[in-house]
Amino acid sequence: MLHADQEHTGLRVFVLFLLAIFLWVFFILARTAVNAWASAAAREFVVAISCGSSLVLGLGVTWALEQWLKKVWHSGRSLTIADNEISIREKKGGDLTFNLNQNFMRLNWYYHLQGFQQSGRERRLPKKWVCLACQVQQDENRFAVFAYMPPPKARPWIEEKMNQFRRLDPKALQEKNGRKKVGNLRLRLPKEVIAGKDGRHWLAEQRRWQKGFELTPSDFDAFMKHLMTFTH
């Protein structure tokens, strides 16, 4: 089972709460320790020392707990890969199963965050990273998976022609004067973009942005390698 959306809203809010608690606790402990054991000269900088110590310790402990929470506190959205099928699970029902032995279509695409950065999580990632995405459609049902990766890890998928990863150009969403035609992909895409050569990919990207399944790079690799064994 591949658990999607590791950095879900509940986890992010709880991590911020933990950070605030740890910063306060470590500040109190550091101030107490400085006042009790430090020299008179050091006690003159008790606030600065306490703030610095609490920041380093608070961030370190919170980061370690966040890594552990990602492994045990899941978003409720997941994909299960079997020999010849893929099942997706949503938090509020609507589970679907795709039989890979039957006809299905896939679209693969990517874009560089530096050229096309959405809001939220993407703004917290390095601008040099790449978003790789794949949409699977069978009859009227479809879903999209994606992952953010540094360029060296994304390059093998992009450069292998048989993978058919198409690069999306953010300039397609801009007017000639550089202004955006659309604020973000939660809004309706311009008709000329849909009618363009990358129209299908932009529609898939819009759906990915709205309700795609974000996977870790390793899980995305596992998903794609399994999907690519079926030559539909």
Side-chain angles (χ1 to χ4, degrees):
M1 179 179 292
L2 308 179
H3 294 284
D5 310 328
Q6 278 196 342
E7 295 191 12
H8 54 89
T9 302
L11 185 143
R12 291 202 307 268
V13 172
F14 187 64
V15 166
L16 289 175
F17 172 76
L18 286 179
L19 178 60
I21 294 297
F22 284 133
L23 287 176
W24 175 249
V25 168
F26 285 128
F27 176 82
I28 297 299
L29 292 176
R31 187 176 63 178
T32 301
V34 171
N35 286 329
W37 297 309
S39 64
R43 287 197 295 271
E44 294 182 4
F45 302 98
V46 62
V47 174
I49 295 173
S50 300
C51 287
S53 300
S54 65
L55 185 62
V56 172
L57 292 171
L59 289 173
V61 173
T62 302
W63 179 86
L65 281 174
E66 181 182 7
Q67 303 312 303
W68 176 75
L69 285 170
K70 286 180 179 180
K71 297 178 181 179
V72 299
W73 185 4
H74 304 303
S75 67
R77 307 178 75 222
S78 62
L79 297 93
T80 301
I81 298 176
D83 290 340
N84 62 349
E85 65 181 29
I86 296 174
S87 299
I88 65 171
R89 171 170 292 181
E90 294 280 4
K91 289 187 293 186
K92 298 181 180 180
D95 300 352
L96 294 172
T97 298
F98 293 75
N99 188 336
L100 299 181
N101 284 331
Q102 298 179 3
N103 290 330
F104 69 90
M105 295 185 296
R106 62 177 174 86
L107 284 178
N108 299 336
W109 69 97
Y110 73 99
Y111 62 87
H112 294 274
L113 299 188
Q114 190 168 12
F116 179 59
Q117 197 171 51
Q118 293 289 341
S119 59
R121 171 158 161 70
E122 290 193 355
R123 296 192 179 278
R124 302 193 301 272
L125 294 171
K127 291 184 177 181
K128 292 184 178 180
W129 278 30
V130 179
C131 177
L132 293 176
C134 173
Q135 176 182 273
V136 177
Q137 180 174 354
Q138 190 166 65
D139 299 326
E140 298 301 318
N141 298 318
R142 60 173 67 90
F143 70 96
V145 301
F146 65 99
Y148 299 109
M149 303 182 189
K153 189 167 183 61
R155 194 170 294 121
W157 285 109
I158 294 171
E159 293 182 348
E160 178 56 59
K161 292 184 178 180
M162 67 174 294
N163 294 334
Q164 298 179 324
F165 272 87
R166 191 177 189 92
R167 180 175 180 175
L168 291 185
D169 186 355
K171 292 180 180 178
L173 301 182
Q174 294 178 349
E175 303 284 359
K176 290 183 179 180
N177 59 9
R179 295 180 61 184
K180 291 183 179 179
K181 294 178 181 178
V182 57
N184 61 55
L185 292 182
R186 292 189 180 96
L187 305 177
R188 183 175 298 176
L189 284 167
K191 292 181 180 179
E192 59 269 29
V193 172
I194 297 175
K197 63 178 182 178
D198 296 327
R200 289 194 307 153
H201 291 81
W202 277 115
L203 285 170
E205 167 59 20
Q206 184 180 51
R207 287 188 288 266
R208 178 209 70 82
W209 175 245
Q210 293 171 344
K211 52 184 179 181
F213 291 77
E214 182 184 351
L215 302 178
T216 64
S218 59
D219 283 351
F220 183 85
D221 287 350
F223 171 86
M224 290 300 301
K225 287 175 181 177
H226 180 74
L227 188 67
M228 295 294 287
T229 61
F230 295 85
T231 58
H232 293 275

